[in-house]
Amino acid sequence: MFCVYGGLFFLLFARFLFIQITGEVEGRPLAAMAQAKYERQNVLSADRGQILDRDGEAIAEDTLSYKLVAVLSKKASDGVKDKKKMRHVVDRDKTARELAEYIDMPEQEIRELLDRQDDPDVYQVEFGSAGRNLSHDTMRKIQELELPGIQFIKDKKRFYPNGMFASHLIGFAQKEKQDDGSTKTVGQMGLEKTFDDLLTGKDGKMQYESDTWGFLLPGSEEKVTPAVNGSNIRLTLDKTIQNFVEDAMNRVQAEYSPERMSVVVADPKTGEILAMSQRPSFNPETREGLSSNWLNEAVQYTIEPGSTMKIFTLASAIEEGAWAPNDFYKSGSYTLYGTTINDHKKAGWGYISFLEGFQRSSNVSMAYLLEKMGGEAFIGHLKDFGFGQPTGIDLPGEAPGIVNDIGPIERLTTSYGQGSTVTPIQMVQAATAIANGGTMMKPYVIDEIKDPNTGKVLREGEPEEKGNPISPETARTVLEVMESTVTSEHGTGRPFELGDYSVAGKTATAQIPNGRGGFLHGTNNLLYGFLGMAPADDPQLIVYVNVHRPKIPAGEYGAIPVSKIFKPVMENSLKHLNIKPDEEHETAQPVKLSDFGGKAAGSVAGELEAEGIAVAVIGDGNEVLGQFPEAGASVLPGGTVILKTDGQAALPDFTGWSKRSVLAFASLSGLTIEIHGEGFAVSQSASPGSAPDEGSPVVVKFESPEQQQQAPSDEDAEPEDEYPLD
């Protein structure tokens, strides 16, 4: 016995000694096994970067969501005696019936999932897409049902708070299952896809050692690797102007059911794109309306522009000295090498001046201008305007378009907008040269990309000149001629006249290829467009509208649906930007603001009010501590300047204020102000002069000028019957 037990002791001692020296058992390291058993790791989710408008308002961002789970295994309720506190599904029928009220899944399908409870190997089930991305409100309502076994897992989802809003530009992102079984939000189209690498963050983790019950072991430390959030992208888009565009397009879509539409709004001084949209479109939140067309048509889709191209034919002729506005020609038809082209009124208007020819959108007038300046010179000028080549806008997949320069006939048709193709963004870029004194500006939509973790700006957009295709004198002349197409009794642009602002613009009616070498025919099978700038003497905005194949009722013509987009968008946007109407604009001189910091608020307010500028003072202190707009900015009489001083902030009367001014007041005052609506302030929840408690929100309601007063009737601008085709 002594030998047996002695031998066993010796073997056990040898085994202990071996483990002590090697630290391994059966070839596996003990330290690693212990760490695997007791180490816990939690994932710290990173936020995908935000996409913001120019004022920092969210267009796309991550938000908290919930995933629905049903625990089926009875083992989850071991030791629980109270039936109401069971941790597994108890009543399958009731659970299926009540869940069907809150998730997008039929009761029968839910019941089939719950019936997997009969399989002892199934611990819990999920509900697919119907049970994911649930809002906090939905989660709370399901919780109130107190259904045993129903649990929620916190998650994140991509949130698009504005619904259908520049959808083909922004795109969308959604969760995808990875090879390791995890899920990751991935951009599928638009900016979400183009900048997916920058927008995607890197998850962090928290590691610690715990006992079997999950409590932190004595002497162990938490090791935290913080999450790295994705970069934020701020765009040049103006949310208010974009909403003006979306609303106008929705109305025209409902009334005329066009095959497609596109709208671009730009600042000609900088090249910034303030709005961009198209129809058909979709809601990125639900993907409702998403079709097979994933192209951003302003950049990736080419069209034959029609008569808006005559703007650049005119500019080329002026540069070549071929423009004689008071000379006469015979309208109606023009023949070149056996090919005859006609005006939209085939009989013409007899002998008319070239100025009247442009106003009437005469194709024949363009033919004679081309004859005078020469085909090669004309094509050279078009290339100087950037046609036939990408603009270089900071968006993917840009189409170059084609300048058809095969021979004289192709140059002829190009002069009035047929045969050659362009993108809307090319038309807008070229138009900046007309609006900007001959200097052409490169369009861009990315204002800034910033790393929120470090505050470092990774990329910054800024105005970039693309050359000077025409002289300042030519630009002024073209603007004057374009303005006359809106104001002249012969002008095709009369339906686009605004009540408060002068407009320089050009209509278009273009044939659409039928895919078989010819063109579609009929009033409802044409592209109708308008390229307009305002105010005409010094354009601050360019709006380019295209409407394809609208269903036009009897008694109307193609310019009407186009004008129902252009007019509210242009007029409301100019007012939103505080551009004064023409009669005020001509007499009022802008006041350049100096740095008021440290000066007496009373004296500064007096000086500004003497210039006709309204002043809102935050606080009751004597010294100016901050201001809006900043030093160096110019303000027209009738505008508002905000001065910040010490003391408690009292509310001004916000009536008539722009959203930008109200947001500036909120930022300087520190008050919580909620914005409802678009346009200009019409009411507020707290009285002027009151001092809200800190944290108490003040609601300010906004309405567009169109909502505040009925839009002018188009009947006053009804043209003669021969206008529709140009």
Side-chain angles (χ1 to χ4, degrees):
M1 291 294 292
F2 176 80
C3 291
V4 171
Y5 284 109
L8 291 173
F9 176 79
F10 177 78
L11 289 173
L12 185 62
F13 177 78
R15 182 62 174 166
F16 276 136
L17 187 63
F18 175 80
I19 293 172
Q20 181 77 22
I21 294 172
T22 63
E24 293 185 355
V25 173
E26 297 177 356
R28 293 180 295 172
L30 279 175
M33 292 169 66
Q35 185 175 13
K37 182 174 182 180
Y38 297 110
E39 186 177 68
R40 302 288 187 269
Q41 178 172 301
N42 290 335
V43 175
L44 303 177
S45 298
D47 285 337
R48 186 174 175 86
Q50 293 178 302
I51 300 178
L52 310 165
D53 85 333
R54 66 189 299 112
D55 293 321
E57 294 195 49
I59 299 174
E61 62 182 344
D62 278 0
T63 187
L64 185 64
S65 67
Y66 298 86
K67 180 169 66 175
L68 180 66
V69 175
V71 178
L72 303 182
S73 176
K74 294 179 181 179
K75 295 178 182 179
S77 299
D78 285 350
V80 179
K81 296 180 180 179
D82 188 345
K83 290 185 178 180
K84 292 184 178 180
K85 296 182 179 179
M86 290 292 178
R87 301 191 189 104
H88 72 284
V89 173
V90 176
D91 188 333
R92 304 181 202 179
D93 288 333
K94 179 183 177 183
T95 302
R97 183 174 61 255
E98 297 195 5
L99 284 181
E101 297 291 326
Y102 294 97
I103 67 173
D104 187 19
M105 181 179 283
E107 179 183 341
Q108 183 59 35
E109 290 186 23
I110 297 176
R111 177 58 199 258
E112 289 173 2
L113 281 174
L114 299 182
D115 282 343
R116 296 184 66 189
Q117 191 172 42
D118 298 329
D119 185 344
D121 295 329
V122 175
Y123 183 82
Q124 67 183 38
V125 294
E126 298 179 6
F127 297 85
S129 59
R132 290 195 294 266
N133 296 330
L134 300 181
S135 67
H136 180 80
D137 184 56
T138 301
M139 181 274 296
R140 183 181 55 79
K141 289 178 179 177
I142 295 176
Q143 277 187 332
E144 290 173 354
L145 299 175
E146 297 183 350
L147 298 171
I150 297 302
Q151 299 181 3
F152 295 91
I153 299 173
K154 287 185 178 180
D155 198 3
K156 289 180 180 177
K157 63 167 288 190
R158 199 62 168 165
F159 180 50
Y160 301 90
N162 303 296
M164 192 181 292
F165 183 95
S167 301
H168 282 79
L169 170 63
I170 305 301
F172 69 95
Q174 64 183 17
K175 288 187 179 295
E176 287 185 354
K177 194 169 185 178
Q178 305 300 298
D179 294 337
D180 61 1
S182 64
T183 58
K184 177 183 176 183
T185 301
V186 179
Q188 304 296 317
M189 67 177 290
L191 295 175
E192 289 275 27
K193 181 178 181 180
T194 304
F195 295 99
D196 187 63
D197 290 343
L198 285 172
L199 288 166
T200 301
K202 184 177 181 181
D203 289 343
K205 59 184 178 181
M206 182 175 66
Q207 292 176 300
Y208 60 94
E209 292 181 357
S210 71
D211 58 20
T212 305
W213 296 275
F215 294 104
L216 190 68
L217 289 173
S220 66
E221 295 182 358
E222 292 181 341
K223 298 177 183 178
V224 178
T225 303
V228 179
N229 294 329
S231 298
N232 295 330
I233 300 177
R234 190 172 70 202
L235 306 180
T236 60
L237 294 188
D238 186 304
K239 183 179 176 182
T240 299
I241 296 177
Q242 184 72 38
N243 278 323
F244 290 151
V245 169
E246 302 291 355
D247 291 345
M249 294 182 82
N250 286 340
R251 289 193 295 270
V252 169
Q253 182 74 40
E255 187 174 357
Y256 295 94
S257 301
E259 183 179 86
R260 56 171 21 106
M261 293 184 285
S262 66
V263 178
V264 179
V265 182
D267 181 342
K269 308 299 182 186
T270 63
E272 293 172 293
I273 302 302
L274 303 180
M276 179 184 288
S277 193
Q278 66 191 62
R279 294 292 184 276
S281 189
F282 67 98
N283 184 337
E285 182 70 12
T286 62
R287 256 75 85 196
E288 181 182 359
L290 184 60
S291 65
S292 58
N293 179 23
W294 286 31
L295 296 180
N296 180 358
E297 295 190 358
V299 176
Q300 298 174 292
Y301 184 75
T302 59
I303 58 173
E304 295 184 21
S307 294
T308 46
M309 182 60 82
K310 293 173 182 175
I311 297 170
F312 309 104
T313 304
L314 171 64
S316 304
I318 296 172
E319 282 288 294
E320 293 297 320
W323 173 246
N326 297 318
D327 283 1
F328 282 73
Y329 73 98
K330 189 177 187 306
S331 62
S333 63
Y334 178 92
T335 300
L336 178 67
Y337 298 126
T339 297
T340 299
I341 65 164
N342 298 98
D343 285 323
H344 56 85
K345 183 181 180 181
K346 290 187 177 181
W349 305 272
Y351 282 91
I352 58 175
S353 69
F354 278 92
L355 176 59
E356 184 177 337
F358 189 88
Q359 293 167 349
R360 291 186 181 275
S361 198
S362 165
N363 295 336
V364 174
S365 70
M366 296 297 108
Y368 282 115
L369 290 180
L370 178 64
E371 183 181 295
K372 289 182 179 180
M373 64 176 148
E376 290 186 6
F378 170 57
I379 296 299
H381 284 295
L382 290 189
K383 291 180 178 179
D384 290 342
F385 275 115
F387 295 113
Q389 55 195 303
T391 65
I393 190 173
D394 41 9
L395 293 173
E398 183 179 7
I402 298 173
V403 176
N404 197 340
D405 188 27
I406 296 175
I409 302 300
E410 288 74 22
R411 293 171 184 169
L412 173 61
T413 58
T414 294
S415 71
Y416 55 85
Q418 295 284 170
S420 292
T421 60
V422 302
T423 61
I425 204 66
Q426 285 177 328
M427 294 293 286
V428 168
Q429 175 182 264
T432 63
I434 308 297
N436 201 32
T439 301
M440 189 166 69
M441 304 301 295
K442 177 181 176 180
Y444 67 102
V445 297
I446 305 297
D447 184 37
E448 179 183 87
I449 301 178
K450 180 184 285 188
D451 184 342
N453 308 285
T454 63
K456 181 181 179 182
V457 176
L458 306 178
R459 174 175 169 179
E460 191 168 12
E462 56 185 18
E464 180 182 336
E465 295 183 6
K466 288 290 293 290
N468 298 87
I470 55 175
S471 67
E473 294 75 20
T474 296
R476 280 196 297 271
T477 302
V478 174
L479 273 177
E480 290 171 359
V481 175
M482 289 171 64
E483 183 180 7
S484 75
T485 68
V486 178
T487 59
S488 168
E489 61 176 331
H490 308 300
T492 59
R494 279 191 299 161
F496 298 89
E497 191 170 8
L498 301 179
D500 293 329
Y501 301 93
S502 56
V503 176
K506 182 72 192 74
T507 56
T509 305
Q511 291 180 297
I512 298 175
N514 61 13
R516 301 186 300 275
F519 293 93
L520 299 173
H521 297 283
T523 303
N524 292 338
N525 288 318
L526 297 168
L527 179 155
Y528 300 97
F530 187 74
L531 176 56
M533 315 168 190
D537 60 337
D538 183 20
Q540 302 298 308
L541 286 180
I542 294 172
V543 177
Y544 184 43
V545 182
N546 279 312
V547 178
H548 297 238
R549 305 181 71 185
K551 293 178 175 57
I552 302 171
E556 282 196 16
Y557 54 101
I560 297 302
V562 180
S563 71
K564 288 183 177 181
I565 296 176
F566 174 83
K567 290 170 68 174
V569 168
M570 179 62 89
E571 188 147 19
N572 291 342
S573 298
L574 289 172
K575 290 179 178 178
H576 164 67
L577 297 174
N578 292 321
I579 307 299
K580 296 300 176 182
D582 286 344
E583 59 271 13
E584 298 179 40
H585 187 70
E586 292 173 0
T587 58
Q589 296 298 317
V591 176
K592 189 173 184 179
L593 301 181
S594 58
D595 186 354
F596 301 130
K599 295 183 179 180
S603 60
V604 171
E607 292 174 6
L608 292 173
E609 288 170 351
E611 298 281 357
I613 296 173
V615 179
V617 179
I618 299 173
D620 52 10
N622 294 322
E623 184 178 321
V624 177
L625 303 177
Q627 69 185 77
F628 175 83
E630 297 178 352
S634 295
V635 179
L636 286 167
T640 300
V641 171
I642 304 171
L643 303 177
K644 176 179 172 58
T645 68
D646 279 328
Q648 188 174 15
L651 290 176
D653 183 353
F654 287 125
T655 302
W657 283 37
S658 68
K659 182 184 289 187
R660 187 172 297 177
S661 296
V662 173
L663 291 173
F665 183 90
S667 176
L668 288 172
S669 67
L671 296 177
T672 303
I673 297 179
E674 293 183 3
I675 303 297
H676 286 190
E678 301 292 340
F680 301 90
V682 294
S683 65
Q684 59 198 78
S685 62
S687 302
S690 62
D693 296 332
E694 186 174 348
S696 298
V698 176
V699 179
V700 181
K701 182 181 178 182
F702 288 75
E703 289 184 355
S704 67
E706 196 172 52
Q707 291 172 301
Q708 296 174 44
Q709 60 181 12
Q710 188 176 359
S713 171
D714 286 327
E715 292 177 1
D716 296 333
E718 187 72 29
E720 62 188 57
D721 291 340
E722 297 297 337
Y723 276 18
L725 303 180
D726 58 354

